[in-house]
Amino acid sequence: MPDPSTPDVLDFQNVCKTYAGQPRPALNDLTLRVPRGSRMGVIGRSGAGKSTLVRLLSGLDTPDAGRLLVRGEPLGPATRAAHQARTGLVFQQFNLLAQRTVLRNVTLPLELRGVPRARRDALAREHLDLVGLGEYAGRYPAQLSGGQKQRVGIARALVTAPDLLLADEATSALDPETSAGILSLLLDLQRERDLTLMIVTHQLEVVRAVTTHVAVLDGGQLVETGETATVLRA
Ligand code: ADP
């Protein structure tokens, strides 16, 4: 359950973003809070503004107006690196490095942080076990199925012990059965590790299966938000 004494993990305050040369904002006055420990689904059809929201969260872009607080602090040049260090990202196309083994894909974020080799290998193996791929450490991404690649992506996202996991269309490239396995894994990991989970998707069934809260975007605007059970019943 969200703890009311801790700040929201994400707090979008009247966030606006218009791309150069575009007549309409990609995000228009977005106000949305994501409590610690919640599982927030952000849903909307193509063009709704989902990718723009992910870009702002990843620090790849900045709002033109409004502000975005992360764990109670405004996201900006001084806080971006700390935010990124505590945020795990899972992508639709997995983004694994083809020339690296599964183990070396998972150790990569630890290498970038200067973690010593023995420690990073131990952590990566522990996380491959966690996603059910302990036996696959020496394989290469091309030798894995889509669902296995995404499990590696999840192990890589969690190996740095983030408290926020952002899944951007994480199951959109997978068949329904594989998707269900990945969603159930995300749900288990969220509970075990007390993560805040944000799932960005165009698939209603993903929101239904996993989330506690949902935000519905359309044309850059938040058209509805609330507890998933309530919003989906309406
Ligand atoms: P979604 O991810 O929900 O499909 P996006 O955030 O990609 O939505 O797009 C929201 C709006 O912003 C759309 O009208 C899209 O055309 C526009 N847009 C997105 N990225 C860019 C960009 N790099 N340059 C110009 N317009 C963009």
Side-chain angles (χ1 to χ4, degrees):
M1 282 302 285
D3 176 352
S5 67
T6 54
D8 291 316
V9 173
L10 302 173
D11 185 358
F12 294 83
Q13 300 181 345
N14 308 100
V15 168
C16 300
K17 176 72 193 175
T18 303
Y19 291 102
Q22 293 297 305
R24 287 178 353 114
L27 281 180
N28 189 359
D29 200 24
L30 176 73
T31 292
L32 176 68
R33 295 162 71 161
V34 181
R36 201 179 88 78
S38 63
R39 299 189 296 274
M40 170 69 72
V42 176
I43 189 160
R45 58 187 139 193
S46 183
K50 304 184 298 297
S51 307
T52 303
L53 183 136
V54 171
R55 288 178 62 78
L56 296 180
L57 271 177
S58 323
L60 294 173
D61 228 327
T62 49
D64 316 320
R67 51 181 209 162
L68 169 52
L69 303 189
V70 181
R71 303 176 189 88
E73 291 189 326
L75 182 60
T79 54
R80 188 163 298 130
H83 162 56
Q84 286 169 345
R86 293 175 64 185
T87 304
L89 293 170
V90 180
F91 307 94
Q92 179 173 5
Q93 293 303 332
F94 323 124
N95 295 11
L96 302 182
L97 296 178
Q99 72 281 15
R100 282 186 164 233
T101 61
V102 163
L103 184 73
R104 294 277 158 253
N105 268 281
V106 180
T107 57
L108 185 59
L110 301 171
E111 284 171 42
L112 297 175
R113 280 158 207 230
V115 175
R117 180 164 189 151
R119 174 84 183 129
R120 25 180 229 257
D121 284 4
L123 279 168
R125 286 186 190 281
E126 180 192 313
H127 282 78
L128 284 172
D129 283 341
L130 193 69
V131 300
L133 290 181
E135 307 292 306
Y136 290 72
R139 296 210 193 178
Y140 285 85
Q143 299 171 300
L144 304 182
S145 69
Q148 290 169 336
K149 285 180 194 165
Q150 194 57 295
R151 284 172 188 267
V152 178
I154 292 169
R156 179 186 55 190
L158 291 181
V159 77
T160 51
D163 61 4
L164 169 65
L165 188 64
L166 175 59
D168 184 10
E169 300 282 5
T171 57
S172 301
L174 304 173
D175 63 70
E177 197 179 325
T178 308
S179 289
I182 293 292
L183 292 174
S184 136
L185 176 65
L186 286 174
L187 192 55
D188 288 348
L189 293 171
Q190 186 269 340
R191 288 181 174 143
E192 273 168 35
R193 300 203 158 197
D194 196 22
L195 297 167
T196 303
L197 179 62
M198 184 181 236
I199 294 200
V200 177
T201 182
H202 67 280
Q203 296 174 302
L204 192 59
E205 62 271 24
V206 169
V207 169
R208 203 186 296 279
V210 178
T211 66
T212 54
H213 296 74
V214 61
V216 184
L217 291 183
D218 195 22
Q221 286 185 306
L222 182 69
V223 292
E224 199 167 4
T225 187
E227 291 190 9
T228 305
T230 311
V231 171
L232 295 194
R233 202 184 303 129

